[in-house]
Amino acid sequence: MAEVDADRRPQRRTTAELRRELGLKEAVAIGIGGTVGGGIFVLVGVAGGKAGPAALIAFSLAFVASLFIALPYAELACRLPMAGGGYAFARQVLGPHWGFLMGWIYWGAYVFLSGYVTIGFGGYLHAATGFPTTAGAAILVAACIAVNLLGVKVSGGVQTAVIAAAIIGLAGFSFWGLPHVSLDHLTPFAPHGINGIFLAALVAFLSFGGFDMVAAAGEEIKRPERNLPRAILLTLAGVLFLYLIVAFVAVGTVSSAHLGSSTSPLADAAGVFGGDVARHLIVFCALLTTAATANAIVVVTSRTVFAMSRDRMLPAPFAAVSARTGSPWVAVVINGLLIEGVAVVGTVSMSSSTGGFLYVLHFVPPLLALVRLRRDNAGERPAFSTPAPRIVVPLAFACSAGLLIASGVTGVTIGSAWLLVGVVLYIGYLYTQRTDRAGRVG
């Protein structure tokens, strides 16, 4: 039987284990809180524009793909309950080079995905005030940079309140708008055919982004063999239900062509059935949640760069921390400038296709890590195992491949360019390190 290399073997931890204090309700709350974000206020319009009313099918397909990917990811989280998620999984099992690749992909995914959030904020701000969309997006990014440089973080209570406002706003939009849905807007059901549904499926998949947070909390969930899969199922099913109603109301009250071209799609739909009151309420919820999501992206991307630099995957100066604020200020500035660039020169379509390509790709190394662990029978039997793994794991790879193709020429081209830049920089960095070590030895 094949053995896992000694330097890659999953190690038994010597430190105290985290307590299993999260029940099913708490695990579902983590999942829904991580999944429902500002993007849904933008992505429903994009999906509707690509698929028309058949966006409902696209969201259902995205749910299935999310489920097939989430279950193996949950097993991996139970096998390797480590901080760092997929980056740590890939680095531990597949080696440091894979760790760099995973971190680089994850970093790029959120840099590009930030575009539909920040541009979405600008679009809703324009709908409320007439302020230019691009300028609004740029100001939001600048504010997020300033907040992170000052070391000020959105507290858990505020973040919870923002998510609650988003859910209440989306639910209110749905039930207020349902009686006003017109069947005329639902025909033709699939104006762009199967190709439109396929393209919209990637956008819909992004709307489910964050479901992996449930798996990442696997070590702290009570009876994980029972509650972990249930929490994933309930999270995805609950979010699917909410998204389907939102999408149904949106495509049933506004033409798909208008949804696809609008920078504030849900506000436009709300204005049709609820007038200015409904429109202003949706704008308020959208501005609140997109701003919070944009700040979260700056936090996530800067901490990714900081962690990779600390692990000697990127130059050491990238891990510089302000003595006064405790903020990883270099990483914040680097990511802030990248995100600012996407907000100023990017589009929602480019952001979703390129970010979507990289976001889907970032699930592939952890899936490969799980295959290796299963093949080598390494480690103890996990608290949760993927049901029907000979079917589910290959389907997870197949869904990932399908979604990568759905990112289209733009997503594949720009996403591959990001990967190429990372590989070139990493090879150069390794060469520099070897040269420095050789110089010191000599």
Side-chain angles (χ1 to χ4, degrees), residues 52 58 62 90 142-143 210-211 234 272 280 289 339 362 427 434:
F211 64 81
L234 289 173
V272 170
H280 290 156
T289 52
I339 293 171
H362 105 278
I427 292 174
R434 290 195 186 99

Side-chain angles (χ1 to χ4, degrees), residues 46-56 185 188-192 196-197 200 247 251 256-257 259:
V46 179
K50 291 181 180 295
L56 300 173
H185 287 296
F189 184 72
H192 306 294
I197 296 173
V251 299
S256 58
L259 283 177

Side-chain angles (χ1 to χ4, degrees), residues 27 40 85 109 298-299 389:
I40 189 61
V298 172
V299 172

Side-chain angles (χ1 to χ4, degrees), residues 73 76-77 80-91 102 212 216 362 366:
Y73 199 90
L76 187 59
L80 299 172
M82 304 166 63
Y87 165 68
F89 301 157
R91 191 169 190 268
M102 176 69 187
D212 51 314
H362 105 278

Side-chain angles (χ1 to χ4, degrees), residues 3 33 133 186 217 268 358 384 420:
E3 297 286 331
T133 298
L186 301 179
D268 291 352
L358 293 170
F384 169 73
L420 180 61

Side-chain angles (χ1 to χ4, degrees), residues 204-217:
F205 181 79
L206 297 178
S207 300
F208 288 95
F211 64 81
D212 51 314
M213 290 184 182
V214 180

Side-chain angles (χ1 to χ4, degrees), residues 15 120 200 204 278:
T15 56

